[in-house]
Amino acid sequence: MALDFWIVLQWWGTLFLVGAVAWPVTKRLFERSMTGPGPVSWWDEGYLFSKAVGMAVVTWIVYVLGTARILPFSAASIWVGLVVVFLVGLWGNRGNQSDREDQGDKGWKRKAMVMALEELFFLAALLFWSWIKGHEPSIRGLEKFMDFGFMQSILNSQYFPPADMWYAGSPINYYYFGHMVVAVLTRLSGLDLAYTFNLMLATIFALTMTMSFSIGYQLIFICHSREGGNPVLLKKKDGSPIRSGMTRIFSGLLTAFLVTLAGNLQTLYAFTRGYTGDNVKPFWELAWNIWSRGAGSSFAGEIWGKLGEGFNTYWYANATRFIPFTIHEFPGYSFVVSDVHGHVLSIPFVLLAIAILITMSLRGVPPHRRDDAAIFNNRLLRRTNGLAMTNIVFYGFLVGVLLMTNALDGPIYFGLFIFLTLIHGKRDWRQIALLVGGVLLIAGITSLPFLIHFKSFVTGVAVNCPPSFLANTKFGPIIFEGVEKCQISPLWMWWLLWGFFVYSVCPLLFRHSGLRAGIQSKEDGSRVKPGMTVEKLLIVFFVFALALVIFPEFFYFKDIYPAHFRSNTMFKLGYEAFILFSIVAGYTIASFVMSFPRRRESIFLGLDPRLRGDDKKDGGDDKWGIFWKLLFLVFLLPQLFLVSIFPIFAVRSYFNGLKTYEGIYGFNWMMREYPTDYLAIQWLNNQNVKCQMSNVKCDRFAIVEADGDSYTNSARLSAFTGHPTIIGWAVHEWLWRGTYDVVAPRREEVRQIYESEDPELTETILTKYGVRYVIVGKLEREKYKSLQEWKFGELGREIFRSGETVIYATY
């Protein structure tokens, strides 16, 4: 454990370097420019987002340099990216008046203290989840072979796109920018990928925790609403504004918990007899049959015993596979099952995009920057209505990064930007066109190096439950499949997944309705456009998230899966909805607690007496308001309890009750179960190092090993070395290539390599795919019963042997 501690510190040092280099850019993005009676900025000027900014921009620079073949992927190209980001940040902050305002000893000490505390917060979260992960660090199961293989293939590459380790001769046809981030950090840190794979999971956990904390803190920090462009802050009973640091911290911690660790109401099944497999039954049919018994100590003991039995048998993964034939994961589940997959790698960039949207939506003309004064005199930029071009350009860049990291995230957050732009209320169609077109253009430029080599495996948008007269037809991108393609989520199941969020936002919806009615008229009675307020912004987030979870009930993105045809759609959209829902719920619950009880206000009306036209200053508390608050609280607390206990079940199950610490090295399982394969992997990776030192294109060397089904141990050497094999996980390649017709012939050719008695045929196939190494190990001997190993000695030579694992070189 002591060794792991120093490894984590070395990794943290790398992350700190990336964040420090990107801090000037981040500061520019979160500068003091939100409308208010004075300079109202992001509470820490965005420091907790600096690591995500650095990871995105530095990696993109390295990626572009490698794709354009200007610089090979190496430590040198990474340092070029770091220097460029730092210099751009310094240039962007030149003449910043806010820096001069804070140059006094008191200002700098306060800044340094806040940043030090934030860095300790991040480090504590990093150490915590590294320790959790150390109880089950195995890089196997689910998508881990695939994700590790992408990262190792990138590390092997000098230029991009990297080779697909499971489809020799072709580049990766997947959104792998997040995997590229891991490769960049791995090379910069000097650590082995078998460590950094798990450390990256802990890093995303820490980033999710700290960045969502910052968002939750900021939302309370600004205000509840605006009247005439000025903040109307949350107020105490005496009318003074609430500025308590503890209140902000509570909001931040609650938001961080909901985004990072919380689950859904499906944990209700822990209090029932439960169900097995996919045989989902309504929870009311599974209640323990003990309530008809009489009272007494034995009765109480039986209740306790039944509850304990339910807690021990509850299967946490059912919370993500509840509605039949669908997937509806969330970050808390992802951090437990430990797949460093696209949807997980995307989370820091998603939270960064949400924070940028908050700053842009609530931004006013910055009063303190000389260069901004000149910017807003420009006719073109004046049409952005107060938005700094820095944020517009960077948000467009983020949309492109999200597209390359987790494909649907790009369109999702571009759509959210459009929604916010349309609903802002103070922009005409020319301003809207400028903003939307600008973001789209920058996103296209950012993702162009990726899109040139990527072929989408989504063939269109299909209609769920199509009418019979349109079955098996297509109109443009809209597909009407057979009438059997019909899956409707039962309402009670849907509510268990999303009901907590819908319920928790009720105070916000009612309060906003009253406030809006109170400020939409001028003194002369004419209507005014109210602009954007914090709560209006959050309602937009809520409505947009609600649309994301409703969309799969009517449409789905068509891929190869027959029965689970809307599974990926619900997965990708629901994941982002969960994050947005959690942010809105964190703010709403925190503001509800802060306002309880408030003088002469109902939480459902939530109106300042001035906004209601009520000039009375006396009268005490509104009894009906207190009643509704208590009623809301009575139903809120059990729901909050149910979503909060999910990580207890998940961590206990996946990490074996945290009983045995194994370390964060991800190959310990292979050393135990496949020791000879492990040595073969180490030998091949040493060949990678030798090739890189001699400037040979190691990424194009191919091997051949046993192919197999997805989520198995097949294709393990290609995954763990990055050397492409002829075919790896067949169904995954079927998805990525869009048809099984290109997969099936390769599987047959691999079989012939191992079982054919014709050396010439075998040599022809090996030459066709540029195979340099033939692997014969335990899995090959198990799968190919008619193995003709003798011919490999004739076609090449044995260059490695450990037990039953042999590697033959073909030339």
Side-chain angles (χ1 to χ4, degrees):
M1 186 179 294
L3 176 61
D4 286 349
F5 175 77
W6 293 110
I7 290 174
V8 174
L9 284 187
Q10 182 178 342
W11 178 254
W12 168 77
T14 302
L15 297 170
F16 179 80
L17 171 64
V18 172
V21 164
W23 166 232
V25 173
T26 309
K27 187 173 181 295
R28 180 70 173 85
L29 293 170
F30 291 89
E31 64 183 347
R32 292 180 177 178
S33 55
M34 294 184 183
T35 299
V40 180
S41 66
W42 199 275
W43 65 280
D44 64 345
E45 296 180 306
Y47 180 77
L48 288 173
F49 298 92
S50 60
K51 293 180 179 64
V53 171
M55 288 160 52
V57 182
V58 172
T59 301
W60 184 79
I61 291 173
V62 173
Y63 180 61
V64 170
L65 292 175
T67 303
R69 295 182 173 263
I70 297 172
L71 278 178
F73 178 36
S74 63
S77 64
I78 297 172
W79 278 102
V80 168
L82 290 168
V83 170
V84 169
V85 171
F86 185 67
L87 293 178
V88 168
L90 290 182
W91 179 82
N93 280 278
R94 70 195 190 286
N96 194 329
Q97 180 66 24
S98 66
D99 285 341
R100 291 195 291 271
E101 292 172 358
D102 291 332
Q103 279 178 357
D105 290 341
K106 186 176 180 181
W108 280 113
K109 287 180 180 179
R110 182 187 63 81
K111 276 189 175 182
M113 179 62 70
V114 170
M115 292 166 67
L117 290 174
E118 290 176 328
E119 200 60 54
L120 287 175
F121 181 22
F122 174 83
L123 179 59
L126 178 67
L127 287 168
F128 172 68
W129 206 255
S130 297
W131 176 77
I132 293 286
K133 184 57 187 167
H135 291 80
E136 180 29 82
S138 304
I139 303 176
R140 68 167 168 178
L142 298 178
E143 307 278 3
K144 296 179 186 61
F145 274 29
M146 169 198 144
D147 294 316
F148 191 97
F150 282 174
M151 297 169 192
Q152 188 62 63
S153 181
I154 294 169
L155 285 170
N156 291 351
S157 301
Q158 290 186 316
Y159 300 106
F160 306 116
D164 187 341
M165 73 286 176
W166 286 340
Y167 199 81
S170 295
I172 296 173
N173 191 55
Y174 198 77
Y175 24 94
Y176 59 85
F177 185 84
H179 302 85
M180 178 85 188
V181 172
V182 184
V184 167
L185 294 174
T186 298
R187 181 145 293 171
L188 184 62
S189 70
L191 293 170
D192 192 307
L193 184 58
Y195 287 107
T196 63
F197 184 89
N198 287 327
L199 288 174
M200 190 63 192
L201 181 77
T203 299
I204 299 173
F205 174 88
L207 287 170
T208 305
M209 179 70 71
T210 54
M211 293 170 73
S212 54
F213 169 86
S214 184
I215 291 172
Y217 189 107
Q218 177 69 11
L219 291 173
I220 294 295
F221 175 77
I222 305 175
C223 58
H224 252 315
S225 60
R226 287 200 191 108
E227 182 183 12
N230 295 320
V232 179
L233 298 176
L234 295 173
K235 295 182 179 180
K236 300 177 183 177
K237 292 180 66 176
D238 61 4
S240 61
I242 294 177
R243 305 291 282 181
S244 169
M246 291 305 298
T247 302
R248 301 174 196 166
I249 292 173
F250 170 71
S251 176
L253 290 177
L254 178 61
T255 303
F257 176 80
L258 292 176
V259 173
T260 311
L261 287 170
N264 52 43
L265 298 178
Q266 199 271 346
T267 53
L268 181 63
Y269 279 84
F271 299 88
T272 71
R273 289 171 291 161
Y275 59 89
T276 58
D278 297 327
N279 186 27
V280 183
K281 295 181 178 179
F283 60 87
W284 58 84
E285 294 181 6
L286 299 173
W288 297 109
N289 187 23
I290 59 178
W291 308 110
S292 61
R293 299 277 301 276
S297 59
S298 61
F299 175 67
E302 186 171 353
I303 293 177
W304 183 256
K306 291 296 185 182
L307 288 178
E309 181 182 339
F311 293 161
N312 289 326
T313 58
Y314 174 73
W315 179 234
Y316 70 95
N318 286 340
T320 68
R321 305 294 192 277
F322 187 50
I323 297 176
F325 302 106
T326 68
I327 301 174
H328 31 78
E329 293 186 15
F330 42 85
Y333 174 83
S334 301
F335 292 133
V336 170
V337 299
S338 309
D339 277 0
V340 191
H341 205 47
H343 61 283
V344 178
L345 291 161
S346 183
I347 295 176
F349 306 141
V350 163
L351 292 173
L352 179 58
I354 292 171
I356 296 294
L357 282 176
I358 292 172
T359 64
M360 290 196 297
S361 298
L362 304 176
R363 182 181 292 278
V365 177
H368 64 280
R369 293 183 57 91
R370 295 179 180 176
D371 54 330
D372 279 345
I375 285 177
F376 283 95
N377 286 328
N378 182 286
R379 180 181 179 185
L380 177 64
L381 302 186
R382 205 165 53 234
R383 290 183 180 176
T384 62
N385 195 24
L387 290 184
M389 290 303 295
T390 303
N391 295 76
I392 297 173
V393 171
F394 190 80
Y395 191 80
F397 168 78
L398 270 181
V399 170
V401 165
L402 288 168
L403 175 65
M404 297 187 292
T405 305
N406 192 38
L408 283 181
D409 287 359
I412 287 172
Y413 287 94
F414 179 60
L416 181 55
F417 175 80
I418 295 175
F419 193 14
L420 281 168
T421 303
L422 292 173
I423 207 170
H424 187 274
K426 288 188 175 182
R427 299 191 178 110
D428 59 29
W429 67 268
R430 288 167 296 186
Q431 294 167 345
I432 293 172
L434 174 64
L435 291 171
V436 173
V439 168
L440 182 61
L441 176 63
I442 299 300
I445 294 173
T446 301
S447 57
L448 183 61
F450 168 78
L451 293 176
I452 290 174
H453 303 282
F454 177 73
K455 181 180 179 182
S456 176
F457 33 88
V458 171
T459 56
V461 179
V463 176
N464 188 28
C465 302
S468 57
F469 69 92
L470 289 176
N472 301 310
T473 61
K474 182 177 181 180
F475 297 94
I478 306 300
I479 301 171
F480 298 89
E481 297 194 275
V483 293
E484 72 280 359
K485 292 296 181 72
C486 184
Q487 296 176 2
I488 301 297
S489 304
L491 184 59
W492 68 272
M493 286 186 170
W494 190 94
W495 184 262
L496 285 185
L497 296 184
W498 309 110
F500 163 73
F501 299 110
V502 174
Y503 180 81
S504 65
V505 83
C506 287
L508 179 63
L509 296 174
F510 280 94
R511 186 165 62 234
H512 176 77
S513 177
L515 284 171
R516 186 176 182 182
I519 63 174
Q520 277 193 325
S521 298
K522 297 181 181 180
E523 293 182 359
D524 60 2
S526 60
R527 292 179 60 85
V528 297
K529 295 181 178 179
M532 186 63 70
T533 65
V534 173
E535 295 202 344
K536 185 176 179 181
L537 172 65
L538 291 176
I539 289 174
V540 172
F541 283 176
F542 173 78
V543 172
F544 188 80
L546 195 62
L548 291 179
V549 297
I550 292 175
F551 182 90
E553 302 301 322
F554 299 94
F555 304 97
Y556 58 92
F557 298 104
K558 179 172 171 52
D559 51 31
I560 66 169
Y561 299 110
H564 297 75
F565 54 86
R566 66 177 184 144
S567 179
N568 273 329
T569 303
M570 186 175 288
F571 172 24
K572 301 294 186 181
L573 301 188
Y575 206 86
E576 303 313 313
F578 188 97
I579 294 174
L580 290 168
F581 275 144
S582 297
I583 291 171
V584 179
Y587 169 86
T588 307
I589 295 172
S591 62
F592 171 81
V593 171
M594 291 166 58
S595 64
F596 188 94
R598 294 179 65 190
R599 186 178 182 181
R600 294 186 60 78
E601 289 186 42
S602 163
I603 191 62
F604 286 108
L605 293 179
L607 300 182
D608 185 286
R610 292 177 293 111
L611 300 182
R612 293 184 309 191
D614 183 0
D615 295 330
K616 297 180 180 180
K617 303 297 182 182
D618 55 357
D621 289 332
D622 186 338
K623 294 181 180 180
W624 284 107
I626 297 299
F627 170 78
W628 286 114
K629 290 179 183 181
L630 287 173
L631 184 63
F632 175 78
L633 190 64
V634 165
F635 286 99
L636 173 68
L637 290 179
Q639 294 183 73
L640 186 59
F641 170 77
L642 288 175
V643 302
S644 299
I645 61 177
F646 174 82
I648 298 175
F649 294 110
V651 170
R652 181 187 64 181
S653 178
Y654 190 88
F655 297 103
N656 193 28
L658 301 178
K659 296 176 182 177
T660 305
Y661 184 83
E662 298 183 19
I664 56 175
Y665 186 67
F667 285 169
N668 289 327
W669 71 275
M670 179 165 274
M671 295 171 65
R672 293 190 303 266
E673 300 180 25
Y674 297 92
T676 59
D677 281 354
Y678 173 78
L679 293 175
I681 289 169
Q682 298 306 306
W683 185 88
L684 285 169
N685 283 333
N686 288 334
Q687 301 307 303
N688 288 344
V689 173
K690 292 178 182 178
C691 289
Q692 291 166 0
M693 293 179 64
S694 60
N695 294 320
V696 179
K697 293 183 179 180
C698 308
D699 51 313
R700 301 308 178 189
F701 290 165
I703 66 174
V704 61
E705 61 180 330
D707 66 280
D709 296 330
S710 299
Y711 316 114
T712 67
N713 290 336
S714 300
R716 75 280 186 205
L717 269 75
S718 52
F720 291 151
T721 66
H723 280 303
T725 188
I726 295 176
I727 189 67
W729 283 2
V731 175
H732 273 64
E733 287 296 344
W734 177 9
L735 172 65
W736 301 339
R737 305 297 162 182
T739 174
Y740 193 70
D741 292 341
V742 299
V743 175
R746 290 193 175 218
R747 301 193 76 180
E748 173 60 20
E749 287 174 316
V750 171
R751 187 198 65 78
Q752 291 176 340
I753 288 174
Y754 285 101
E755 293 190 334
S756 171
E757 297 181 3
D758 185 351
E760 292 185 3
L761 174 61
T762 302
E763 184 177 20
T764 299
I765 299 173
L766 294 174
T767 303
K768 175 182 177 181
Y769 293 105
V771 172
R772 183 172 182 178
Y773 302 120
V774 177
I775 312 299
V776 180
K778 181 179 180 180
L779 294 180
E780 286 73 29
R781 300 180 194 280
E782 290 176 351
K783 179 169 184 176
Y784 302 109
K785 302 301 182 182
S786 301
L787 176 65
Q788 306 295 323
E789 188 174 353
W790 57 270
K791 61 185 176 181
F792 302 130
E794 294 185 359
L795 296 174
R797 59 189 177 90
E798 178 184 313
I799 56 174
F800 174 87
R801 178 180 290 270
S802 177
E804 60 182 340
T805 301
V806 185
I807 300 178
Y808 294 93
T810 60
Y811 57 90

